[in-house]
Amino acid sequence: MVKARRELLDSGAYQPVAQQLQQYLAALPSITQRPLRVADAGCGEGYYLSQVASQLSDEVDLDFIGFDISKWAVQAATKRSKAIRWLVASSKNIPIESNYLDVMLCMFGFPVFSEFARTLSVGGKLLLVDAGPQHLVELRSILYDDLKPYKDWCAEPALDAGFELSEHKPLAPFKARLTQQQIQTLALMTPHFFRAPAANRSKLASLQQLEVTLDVQFRLLTLLDKQ
Ligand SMILES: C[S@@+](CC[C@H](N)C(=O)[O-])C[C@H]1O[C@@H](n2cnc3c(N)ncnc32)[C@H](O)[C@@H]1O
């Protein structure tokens, strides 16, 4: 699973997401006294963090930490970059001291706002990256007989933990043309595959290629105070 995921990400299908992430980090006010401290919660096999680390390391002094609950994902991440500290850890109990971080990333993951607020310093940034309404609509139309309405983001848990929403920027939707193998990998990367009826999964398996829409939302939050 981790290997298949790595191959799909390495194909460049999600490159615009990595580019947008890099732009966000590059635009943050520079901290000259010490390296920029960034953690990626649920970093998976480390694609995004290692991409931005290699692009930013010439301009900014970096202290990057990626962690994920899956030890297989983290093992794969260690092969991407030796300059990043990789940890097997849960977002529910992050092994990082309080107030340490400047930025927390949560990409297609499961935010735990209380722990993100604890580990960030006041004024620190949380970047949430999630699927938008049109994300993988072609894939979902095959897997489901009826498409469920888009579940919008709920700000309340973040506000309760002391964050404010500073910016909400949907990335312009873009397309990726997938091979048969990539269709299966992408389907497995989503929660949709396991929820879909078997007949629809077979339909998907019979496709030779598929063009999918990638619709991704970036939300930048600022930690105003500690609750
Ligand atoms: C959809 S994947 C996203 C991976 C990566 N951020 C990316 O976009 O490529 C979600 C990741 O969250 C991890 N995860 C699930 N629960 C977690 C938890 N409580 N703490 C840390 N990571 C978790 C999974 O192991 C998986 O790697």
Side-chain angles (χ1 to χ4, degrees), residues 82-111:
K82 302 271 178 253
I84 297 170
R85 288 186 277 170
W86 302 105
L87 312 171
V88 178
S90 169
S91 298
K92 292 180 184 159
N93 186 15
I94 304 172
I96 295 177
E97 68 184 89
S98 300
N99 309 312
Y100 185 79
L101 296 171
D102 301 308
V103 183
M104 177 69 88
L105 309 175
C106 186
M107 319 262 316
F108 307 103
F110 308 95

Side-chain angles (χ1 to χ4, degrees), residues 1 6 9 16 20 22 51 91 97 115 124 130 155-156 176 183 191 209 227:
M1 181 64 208
R6 190 176 58 209
L9 289 166
Q20 183 67 47
Q22 186 220 328
Q51 283 274 313
S91 298
E97 68 184 89
E115 272 295 89
D130 290 301
E156 215 171 290
I183 298 166
Q209 57 176 0
Q227 296 302 299

Side-chain angles (χ1 to χ4, degrees), residues 9 22 24 37-38 41 50 57 59 68 73 79-80 87-88 111 113 147 152-153 157 173 177 179 186 189 199 210 213:
L9 289 166
Q22 186 220 328
Y24 264 108
R37 295 167 170 176
V38 180
S50 54
S57 57
E59 302 156 37
D68 196 285
K79 301 201 173 68
R80 285 204 183 266
L87 312 171
V88 178
F113 293 106
L147 279 188
D152 208 356
W153 187 68
R177 185 171 287 282
T179 63
L186 187 64
M189 278 164 62
L210 180 69
T213 303

